[in-house]
Amino acid sequence: MSSGTVENWLAQRATSCPERLAVRAGGVDLTYAELEREAQAAARRLAARGVGRGSTVAIELRPGLDFAILLHALMKLGAVAHPLSPRLTERERARELEHAQPALVVRSAADFEGAEADAPLLDEHDMDAVCCRLLTSGTSGTPRAVGLTYGNFLWSAVGSAFNLGVDPGDRWLCCLPLHHVGGLSILMRSVIYGTGAVIHEGFDVERVRESLASDGITLVSLVATQLVRLLEAGVDLSGPRVLLVGGGPVPLAAIEEASAQGASVVQTYGMTETCSQVTTLAPSDARRKAGSAGRPLLTSRLRIADGEILVQGPTVAPGAASEDGWLHTGDLGRIDEEGFLWVEGRLGDLIVTGGENVMPDEVEEVLREHPAVADAAVVGRPDAEWQEAVTAVVVLRDGAEADAETLRAHCAARLAGFKVPKRFEFAAELPRTSSGKLLRRALR
């Protein structure tokens, strides 16, 4: 084996820990030996349909066993998995398929059934080969496809393991979409570590409650809105050794509430272009540094230039870095004296009002502290007097009442005058991506 390749992860695990749980989904368990057999058979069926090394296969399956089997089958052929969101409009879907030119589109398990070809299967991965192509969340514009390599996923798993640790009995709950890197990385890390992945078809509070009680879950990945919903429903979050929360700012009140119940909530910061995590709080720092996204992982270098977060390292997707060798994230942040990152919003989200700079995240955090507010977003609206008027879009809790003056007074007691929203708008819900990120551009 040359330095540029690594043994096929699933084949290696089927040899080293064949009877260990690999995937649990939909009430069915597969051990590593069983997943290997299923993936080999699926790979040969795909080969019979013309899929080979370098082919792109678009995946439109719901999260579950079939998705996991298909993903590993494609890796055995050297093909590229391209999961698509079920929330794409038909126009968006058609545009992406035209761009990707897939050899096959898989919308159900029937699309990779049938006869098997006597095709050779790869027993190793080229570290520089693209394994998956994922669409970015599109919070700052049209989603674009990012190619992530086997090396990206391996180094991401290494960085995470150095921070959170790995136990052979770990079971990582995935209730995030598998067409986003936060969810897909759970499947990849689990096979690299030889641990179990418990996959939910979507996010459902009662299903998560049940899973935490009965599936031996030790790690969970969530976005902030999911954490808040679990807390509101009174779900016991004290069982897992780590609750990893990313996808945007996490309300400090939610972190404090979960921590008070004995949960270990660690914030993480990452993106598609960095194959998930860049920084993550260590569990030992979860309470002391609540609100921070943690220190850079072993595999990431970080610096701040003109307020923007820049990233370097082997998890950065090929071609994502600028000419200076750094990935310019478009996110604003600061690094404190202990080396912890504090994310402060998007470069394009900054509101300039009357010559003063306002970060929406800070105002949103204050609004969410009001007992009547379920969710809030802050944007700048064009204004003749102020250049941009700080505008709050607020979702009230069911049955709660609060008017603009009440919320303005609440903010005025906690924020400098120029940060207090000039306007308040009320909505039934806020536009968010399937991974929970706020679509601020849709509010502008």
Side-chain angles (χ1 to χ4, degrees), residues 274 371 439:
T274 61
L439 280 169

Side-chain angles (χ1 to χ4, degrees), residues 147-229:
L148 296 171
T149 67
Y150 288 93
N152 291 150
F153 280 106
L154 180 60
W155 284 114
S156 178
V158 168
S160 182
F162 261 74
N163 186 47
L164 300 178
V166 177
D167 185 286
D170 274 339
R171 292 185 180 179
W172 202 315
L173 174 58
C174 177
C175 48
L176 298 174
L178 293 180
H179 59 271
H180 280 300
V181 73
L184 192 67
S185 288
I186 295 173
L187 292 189
M188 293 297 198
R189 280 189 215 116
S190 296
V191 72
I192 291 168
Y193 300 154
T195 55
V198 178
I199 306 171
H200 289 187
E201 187 171 299
F203 176 73
D204 178 83
V205 168
E206 293 308 314
R207 179 73 186 91
V208 172
R209 189 198 304 271
E210 177 186 323
S211 196
L212 291 176
S214 61
D215 285 331
I217 301 300
T218 58
L219 301 106
V220 185
S221 289
L222 300 166
V223 296
T225 49
Q226 293 173 338
L227 174 64
V228 170
R229 287 175 191 169

